[in-house]
Amino acid sequence: MPTPTTRRAPLDLGLLVVRLALGAVMIAHGYQKVFGNGIAATQQGFTGMGAPVPELTGVLVPLLELGGGLLVVLGLATRLVVVLFGATMVGAALLVHLPNGFYAADGGWELVGLLAALCLALLVSGAGRFSLDGALLERRRARRARTAPTAPAEAEPARV
Protein backbone atom coordinates (compact mmCIF):
# COMPACT_ATOMS: atom_id res chain seq x y z
CA MET A 1 0.00 0.00 0.00
CA PRO A 2 1.46 3.43 -0.93
CA THR A 3 2.48 5.63 1.95
CA PRO A 4 1.68 9.38 2.07
CA THR A 5 5.32 10.02 1.16
CA THR A 6 5.26 7.86 -1.97
CA ARG A 7 1.86 9.25 -3.03
CA ARG A 8 3.31 12.77 -2.78
CA ALA A 9 6.46 11.97 -4.78
CA PRO A 10 4.98 12.88 -8.22
CA LEU A 11 3.85 16.26 -6.87
CA ASP A 12 7.28 16.91 -5.37
CA LEU A 13 8.93 15.92 -8.65
CA GLY A 14 6.63 18.34 -10.51
CA LEU A 15 7.54 21.14 -8.11
CA LEU A 16 11.22 20.38 -8.67
CA VAL A 17 10.74 20.70 -12.44
CA VAL A 18 8.89 24.02 -11.99
CA ARG A 19 11.63 25.33 -9.69
CA LEU A 20 14.42 24.29 -12.06
CA ALA A 21 12.70 25.88 -15.07
CA LEU A 22 11.84 29.13 -13.28
CA GLY A 23 15.26 29.36 -11.64
CA ALA A 24 17.12 28.71 -14.90
CA VAL A 25 15.16 31.40 -16.76
CA MET A 26 15.70 33.94 -13.99
CA ILE A 27 19.42 33.15 -13.71
CA ALA A 28 19.81 33.56 -17.49
CA HIS A 29 18.03 36.92 -17.46
CA GLY A 30 20.06 38.14 -14.48
CA TYR A 31 23.30 36.94 -16.05
CA GLN A 32 22.46 38.78 -19.27
CA LYS A 33 21.75 42.01 -17.38
CA VAL A 34 24.89 41.83 -15.22
CA PHE A 35 27.50 40.31 -17.53
CA GLY A 36 26.03 40.67 -21.02
CA ASN A 37 24.65 44.17 -21.24
CA GLY A 38 26.11 45.38 -17.96
CA ILE A 39 24.46 47.16 -15.04
CA ALA A 40 24.86 50.64 -16.59
CA ALA A 41 23.08 49.52 -19.77
CA THR A 42 20.39 47.85 -17.66
CA GLN A 43 19.85 51.05 -15.70
CA GLN A 44 19.66 53.00 -18.96
CA GLY A 45 17.19 50.49 -20.37
CA PHE A 46 15.06 50.69 -17.22
CA THR A 47 15.08 54.49 -17.54
CA GLY A 48 13.81 54.23 -21.11
CA MET A 49 11.07 51.81 -20.05
CA GLY A 50 9.87 54.10 -17.26
CA ALA A 51 10.87 51.77 -14.42
CA PRO A 52 10.72 53.43 -11.01
CA VAL A 53 14.10 54.55 -9.62
CA PRO A 54 16.09 52.96 -12.46
CA GLU A 55 19.42 53.67 -10.76
CA LEU A 56 18.33 51.33 -7.96
CA THR A 57 16.04 48.86 -9.76
CA GLY A 58 18.62 48.48 -12.55
CA VAL A 59 20.93 46.98 -9.91
CA LEU A 60 18.42 45.18 -7.68
CA VAL A 61 16.46 43.38 -10.39
CA PRO A 62 19.51 41.70 -12.00
CA LEU A 63 20.84 40.69 -8.57
CA LEU A 64 17.40 39.34 -7.61
CA GLU A 65 17.23 37.40 -10.86
CA LEU A 66 20.71 35.90 -10.41
CA GLY A 67 20.66 35.23 -6.67
CA GLY A 68 16.96 34.51 -6.43
CA GLY A 69 17.17 32.16 -9.40
CA LEU A 70 19.86 30.18 -7.62
CA LEU A 71 17.78 30.10 -4.42
CA VAL A 72 14.74 28.83 -6.35
CA VAL A 73 16.81 26.09 -8.00
CA LEU A 74 18.04 25.03 -4.55
CA GLY A 75 14.56 25.44 -3.08
CA LEU A 76 15.71 27.79 -0.33
CA ALA A 77 13.54 30.72 0.84
CA THR A 78 11.38 29.82 -2.15
CA ARG A 79 8.17 31.55 -1.10
CA LEU A 80 9.95 34.82 -0.32
CA VAL A 81 11.85 34.78 -3.60
CA VAL A 82 8.80 33.98 -5.74
CA VAL A 83 6.88 36.86 -4.16
CA LEU A 84 9.71 39.19 -5.23
CA PHE A 85 9.90 37.58 -8.68
CA GLY A 86 6.13 37.80 -9.07
CA ALA A 87 6.09 41.48 -8.17
CA THR A 88 8.90 42.08 -10.68
CA MET A 89 7.00 40.21 -13.42
CA VAL A 90 3.79 42.15 -12.76
CA GLY A 91 5.77 45.40 -12.87
CA ALA A 92 7.41 44.37 -16.13
CA ALA A 93 4.03 43.46 -17.62
CA LEU A 94 2.43 46.74 -16.61
CA LEU A 95 5.36 49.01 -17.50
CA VAL A 96 6.58 47.36 -20.68
CA HIS A 97 4.79 44.34 -22.08
CA LEU A 98 1.00 44.85 -21.96
CA PRO A 99 0.88 47.49 -24.71
CA ASN A 100 2.69 45.05 -27.03
CA GLY A 101 0.00 42.38 -26.92
CA PHE A 102 0.40 38.75 -25.94
CA TYR A 103 3.30 37.24 -27.87
CA ALA A 104 6.81 37.54 -26.44
CA ALA A 105 8.25 37.75 -29.96
CA ASP A 106 6.39 41.06 -30.31
CA GLY A 107 7.47 42.26 -26.84
CA GLY A 108 4.19 41.11 -25.30
CA TRP A 109 3.39 39.74 -21.88
CA GLU A 110 3.50 36.02 -22.76
CA LEU A 111 6.77 35.20 -20.95
CA VAL A 112 6.31 37.45 -17.91
CA GLY A 113 2.76 36.12 -17.54
CA LEU A 114 3.98 32.54 -17.56
CA LEU A 115 6.78 33.33 -15.10
CA ALA A 116 4.29 35.08 -12.79
CA ALA A 117 2.02 32.01 -12.95
CA LEU A 118 4.94 29.74 -12.00
CA CYS A 119 5.70 32.07 -9.10
CA LEU A 120 2.09 31.89 -7.93
CA ALA A 121 2.14 28.08 -8.13
CA LEU A 122 5.29 27.91 -5.98
CA LEU A 123 3.93 30.48 -3.55
CA VAL A 124 0.80 28.40 -3.00
CA SER A 125 2.47 24.97 -2.92
CA GLY A 126 5.92 25.68 -1.54
CA ALA A 127 9.13 24.22 -2.91
CA GLY A 128 8.28 20.58 -2.30
CA ARG A 129 10.15 17.80 -0.57
CA PHE A 130 13.07 17.80 -3.03
CA SER A 131 14.33 21.19 -1.83
CA LEU A 132 16.34 22.73 0.96
CA ASP A 133 13.10 24.26 2.29
CA GLY A 134 11.63 20.73 2.40
CA ALA A 135 14.70 19.31 4.12
CA LEU A 136 14.64 22.06 6.73
CA LEU A 137 10.94 21.50 7.36
CA GLU A 138 11.46 17.76 7.81
CA ARG A 139 14.31 18.44 10.20
CA ARG A 140 12.12 20.77 12.29
CA ARG A 141 9.31 18.19 12.33
CA ALA A 142 11.69 15.45 13.44
CA ARG A 143 13.11 17.68 16.19
CA ARG A 144 9.60 18.55 17.39
CA ALA A 145 8.60 14.90 17.40
CA ARG A 146 11.65 13.98 19.51
CA THR A 147 11.03 16.74 22.06
CA ALA A 148 7.23 16.51 22.22
CA PRO A 149 5.95 15.14 25.49
CA THR A 150 4.35 11.76 25.12
CA ALA A 151 0.67 11.52 25.83
CA PRO A 152 -0.05 10.12 29.27
CA ALA A 153 -1.41 6.62 29.25
CA GLU A 154 -5.07 6.34 30.05
CA ALA A 155 -5.65 5.49 33.66
CA GLU A 156 -7.03 2.07 34.24
CA PRO A 157 -10.43 2.04 35.86
CA ALA A 158 -10.34 1.50 39.58
CA ARG A 159 -11.09 -2.04 40.64
CA VAL A 160 -13.61 -2.33 43.38
Side-chain angles (χ1 to χ4, degrees), residues 1-14 129-130 138:
M1 179 169 183
T3 66
T5 301
T6 58
R7 281 192 306 252
R8 188 173 156 89
L11 173 63
D12 290 318
L13 184 58
R129 191 171 38 138
F130 305 133
E138 280 302 312

PDB file of all heavy atoms in Angstrom, residues 1-14 129-130 138:
ATOM      1  N   MET A   1       0.849  -1.177   0.000  1.00  0.00           N
ATOM      2  CA  MET A   1       0.000   0.000   0.000  1.00  0.00           C
ATOM      3  C   MET A   1       0.898   1.244   0.000  1.00  0.00           C
ATOM      4  O   MET A   1       1.826   1.336   0.793  1.00  0.00           O
ATOM      5  CB  MET A   1      -0.891  -0.032   1.240  1.00  0.00           C
ATOM      6  CG  MET A   1      -1.809   1.141   1.365  1.00  0.00           C
ATOM      7  SD  MET A   1      -2.995   0.790   2.664  1.00  0.00           S
ATOM      8  CE  MET A   1      -3.966   2.221   2.528  1.00  0.00           C
ATOM      9  N   PRO A   2       0.616   2.235  -0.883  1.00  0.00           N
ATOM     10  CA  PRO A   2       1.460   3.435  -0.933  1.00  0.00           C
ATOM     11  C   PRO A   2       1.354   4.246   0.356  1.00  0.00           C
ATOM     12  O   PRO A   2       0.290   4.360   0.944  1.00  0.00           O
ATOM     13  CB  PRO A   2       0.902   4.235  -2.112  1.00  0.00           C
ATOM     14  CG  PRO A   2      -0.003   3.317  -2.850  1.00  0.00           C
ATOM     15  CD  PRO A   2      -0.416   2.254  -1.897  1.00  0.00           C
ATOM     16  N   THR A   3       2.470   4.777   0.772  1.00  0.00           N
ATOM     17  CA  THR A   3       2.481   5.634   1.951  1.00  0.00           C
ATOM     18  C   THR A   3       2.214   7.072   1.515  1.00  0.00           C
ATOM     19  O   THR A   3       2.331   7.399   0.329  1.00  0.00           O
ATOM     20  CB  THR A   3       3.856   5.568   2.652  1.00  0.00           C
ATOM     21  OG1 THR A   3       4.822   6.139   1.771  1.00  0.00           O
ATOM     22  CG2 THR A   3       4.231   4.137   3.015  1.00  0.00           C
ATOM     23  N   PRO A   4       1.864   7.971   2.455  1.00  0.00           N
ATOM     24  CA  PRO A   4       1.680   9.377   2.069  1.00  0.00           C
ATOM     25  C   PRO A   4       2.908   9.957   1.374  1.00  0.00           C
ATOM     26  O   PRO A   4       2.794  10.763   0.467  1.00  0.00           O
ATOM     27  CB  PRO A   4       1.413  10.066   3.412  1.00  0.00           C
ATOM     28  CG  PRO A   4       0.853   8.997   4.291  1.00  0.00           C
ATOM     29  CD  PRO A   4       1.530   7.727   3.849  1.00  0.00           C
ATOM     30  N   THR A   5       4.093   9.518   1.768  1.00  0.00           N
ATOM     31  CA  THR A   5       5.320  10.025   1.157  1.00  0.00           C
ATOM     32  C   THR A   5       5.438   9.582  -0.297  1.00  0.00           C
ATOM     33  O   THR A   5       5.760  10.385  -1.168  1.00  0.00           O
ATOM     34  CB  THR A   5       6.554   9.549   1.955  1.00  0.00           C
ATOM     35  OG1 THR A   5       6.422  10.018   3.297  1.00  0.00           O
ATOM     36  CG2 THR A   5       7.830  10.074   1.366  1.00  0.00           C
ATOM     37  N   THR A   6       5.143   8.326  -0.589  1.00  0.00           N
ATOM     38  CA  THR A   6       5.256   7.862  -1.974  1.00  0.00           C
ATOM     39  C   THR A   6       4.131   8.417  -2.837  1.00  0.00           C
ATOM     40  O   THR A   6       4.324   8.642  -4.022  1.00  0.00           O
ATOM     41  CB  THR A   6       5.267   6.319  -2.065  1.00  0.00           C
ATOM     42  OG1 THR A   6       4.072   5.807  -1.474  1.00  0.00           O
ATOM     43  CG2 THR A   6       6.486   5.740  -1.384  1.00  0.00           C
ATOM     44  N   ARG A   7       2.958   8.646  -2.262  1.00  0.00           N
ATOM     45  CA  ARG A   7       1.865   9.250  -3.029  1.00  0.00           C
ATOM     46  C   ARG A   7       2.188  10.694  -3.378  1.00  0.00           C
ATOM     47  O   ARG A   7       1.724  11.216  -4.369  1.00  0.00           O
ATOM     48  CB  ARG A   7       0.555   9.206  -2.232  1.00  0.00           C
ATOM     49  CG  ARG A   7      -0.121   7.861  -2.271  1.00  0.00           C
ATOM     50  CD  ARG A   7      -1.523   7.955  -1.732  1.00  0.00           C
ATOM     51  NE  ARG A   7      -1.584   8.539  -0.421  1.00  0.00           N
ATOM     52  CZ  ARG A   7      -1.851   7.885   0.697  1.00  0.00           C
ATOM     53  NH1 ARG A   7      -2.097   6.595   0.662  1.00  0.00           N
ATOM     54  NH2 ARG A   7      -1.901   8.504   1.852  1.00  0.00           N
ATOM     55  N   ARG A   8       2.978  11.366  -2.558  1.00  0.00           N
ATOM     56  CA  ARG A   8       3.312  12.767  -2.780  1.00  0.00           C
ATOM     57  C   ARG A   8       4.508  12.934  -3.716  1.00  0.00           C
ATOM     58  O   ARG A   8       4.744  14.030  -4.225  1.00  0.00           O
ATOM     59  CB  ARG A   8       3.597  13.428  -1.431  1.00  0.00           C
ATOM     60  CG  ARG A   8       3.771  14.908  -1.529  1.00  0.00           C
ATOM     61  CD  ARG A   8       3.892  15.569  -0.180  1.00  0.00           C
ATOM     62  NE  ARG A   8       4.593  16.810  -0.331  1.00  0.00           N
ATOM     63  CZ  ARG A   8       4.013  17.961  -0.602  1.00  0.00           C
ATOM     64  NH1 ARG A   8       2.730  18.039  -0.724  1.00  0.00           N
ATOM     65  NH2 ARG A   8       4.733  19.063  -0.731  1.00  0.00           N
ATOM     66  N   ALA A   9       5.245  11.881  -3.972  1.00  0.00           N
ATOM     67  CA  ALA A   9       6.461  11.969  -4.784  1.00  0.00           C
ATOM     68  C   ALA A   9       6.233  12.584  -6.163  1.00  0.00           C
ATOM     69  O   ALA A   9       7.030  13.428  -6.585  1.00  0.00           O
ATOM     70  CB  ALA A   9       7.131  10.603  -4.894  1.00  0.00           C
ATOM     71  N   PRO A  10       5.174  12.230  -6.909  1.00  0.00           N
ATOM     72  CA  PRO A  10       4.977  12.876  -8.217  1.00  0.00           C
ATOM     73  C   PRO A  10       4.763  14.390  -8.100  1.00  0.00           C
ATOM     74  O   PRO A  10       5.270  15.147  -8.928  1.00  0.00           O
ATOM     75  CB  PRO A  10       3.728  12.186  -8.786  1.00  0.00           C
ATOM     76  CG  PRO A  10       3.681  10.866  -8.080  1.00  0.00           C
ATOM     77  CD  PRO A  10       4.226  11.132  -6.708  1.00  0.00           C
ATOM     78  N   LEU A  11       4.038  14.825  -7.079  1.00  0.00           N
ATOM     79  CA  LEU A  11       3.847  16.259  -6.867  1.00  0.00           C
ATOM     80  C   LEU A  11       5.181  16.934  -6.569  1.00  0.00           C
ATOM     81  O   LEU A  11       5.505  17.988  -7.132  1.00  0.00           O
ATOM     82  CB  LEU A  11       2.864  16.503  -5.719  1.00  0.00           C
ATOM     83  CG  LEU A  11       2.694  17.955  -5.288  1.00  0.00           C
ATOM     84  CD1 LEU A  11       2.108  18.801  -6.417  1.00  0.00           C
ATOM     85  CD2 LEU A  11       1.822  18.045  -4.054  1.00  0.00           C
ATOM     86  N   ASP A  12       5.976  16.334  -5.711  1.00  0.00           N
ATOM     87  CA  ASP A  12       7.279  16.907  -5.372  1.00  0.00           C
ATOM     88  C   ASP A  12       8.206  16.941  -6.582  1.00  0.00           C
ATOM     89  O   ASP A  12       8.970  17.890  -6.754  1.00  0.00           O
ATOM     90  CB  ASP A  12       7.929  16.120  -4.230  1.00  0.00           C
ATOM     91  CG  ASP A  12       7.211  16.333  -2.907  1.00  0.00           C
ATOM     92  OD1 ASP A  12       6.833  17.486  -2.616  1.00  0.00           O
ATOM     93  OD2 ASP A  12       7.018  15.353  -2.169  1.00  0.00           O
ATOM     94  N   LEU A  13       8.130  15.936  -7.425  1.00  0.00           N
ATOM     95  CA  LEU A  13       8.926  15.922  -8.651  1.00  0.00           C
ATOM     96  C   LEU A  13       8.467  17.046  -9.587  1.00  0.00           C
ATOM     97  O   LEU A  13       9.283  17.741 -10.188  1.00  0.00           O
ATOM     98  CB  LEU A  13       8.820  14.563  -9.344  1.00  0.00           C
ATOM     99  CG  LEU A  13       9.679  14.383 -10.583  1.00  0.00           C
ATOM    100  CD1 LEU A  13      11.151  14.596 -10.276  1.00  0.00           C
ATOM    101  CD2 LEU A  13       9.455  13.000 -11.177  1.00  0.00           C
ATOM    102  N   GLY A  14       7.157  17.242  -9.699  1.00  0.00           N
ATOM    103  CA  GLY A  14       6.627  18.337 -10.511  1.00  0.00           C
ATOM    104  C   GLY A  14       7.080  19.692  -9.994  1.00  0.00           C
ATOM    105  O   GLY A  14       7.448  20.577 -10.784  1.00  0.00           O
ATOM    106  N   ARG A 129       9.244  18.590  -1.404  1.00  0.00           N
ATOM    107  CA  ARG A 129      10.150  17.802  -0.565  1.00  0.00           C
ATOM    108  C   ARG A 129      11.569  17.773  -1.097  1.00  0.00           C
ATOM    109  O   ARG A 129      12.528  17.679  -0.341  1.00  0.00           O
ATOM    110  CB  ARG A 129       9.603  16.368  -0.469  1.00  0.00           C
ATOM    111  CG  ARG A 129      10.267  15.517   0.565  1.00  0.00           C
ATOM    112  CD  ARG A 129       9.539  14.213   0.745  1.00  0.00           C
ATOM    113  NE  ARG A 129       9.049  13.719  -0.525  1.00  0.00           N
ATOM    114  CZ  ARG A 129       9.112  12.443  -0.887  1.00  0.00           C
ATOM    115  NH1 ARG A 129       9.625  11.557  -0.102  1.00  0.00           N
ATOM    116  NH2 ARG A 129       8.648  12.067  -2.062  1.00  0.00           N
ATOM    117  N   PHE A 130      11.744  17.857  -2.432  1.00  0.00           N
ATOM    118  CA  PHE A 130      13.074  17.799  -3.028  1.00  0.00           C
ATOM    119  C   PHE A 130      13.674  19.199  -3.087  1.00  0.00           C
ATOM    120  O   PHE A 130      13.981  19.729  -4.156  1.00  0.00           O
ATOM    121  CB  PHE A 130      13.016  17.177  -4.422  1.00  0.00           C
ATOM    122  CG  PHE A 130      12.368  15.821  -4.449  1.00  0.00           C
ATOM    123  CD1 PHE A 130      11.407  15.517  -5.399  1.00  0.00           C
ATOM    124  CD2 PHE A 130      12.712  14.844  -3.526  1.00  0.00           C
ATOM    125  CE1 PHE A 130      10.804  14.270  -5.437  1.00  0.00           C
ATOM    126  CE2 PHE A 130      12.111  13.592  -3.547  1.00  0.00           C
ATOM    127  CZ  PHE A 130      11.157  13.306  -4.502  1.00  0.00           C
ATOM    128  N   GLU A 138      11.420  19.122   7.267  1.00  0.00           N
ATOM    129  CA  GLU A 138      11.461  17.760   7.807  1.00  0.00           C
ATOM    130  C   GLU A 138      12.325  17.697   9.068  1.00  0.00           C
ATOM    131  O   GLU A 138      11.996  17.010  10.019  1.00  0.00           O
ATOM    132  CB  GLU A 138      12.004  16.776   6.761  1.00  0.00           C
ATOM    133  CG  GLU A 138      10.974  16.364   5.752  1.00  0.00           C
ATOM    134  CD  GLU A 138       9.747  15.708   6.375  1.00  0.00           C
ATOM    135  OE1 GLU A 138       9.899  14.801   7.220  1.00  0.00           O
ATOM    136  OE2 GLU A 138       8.631  16.118   6.015  1.00  0.00           O
TER     137      GLU A 138
END
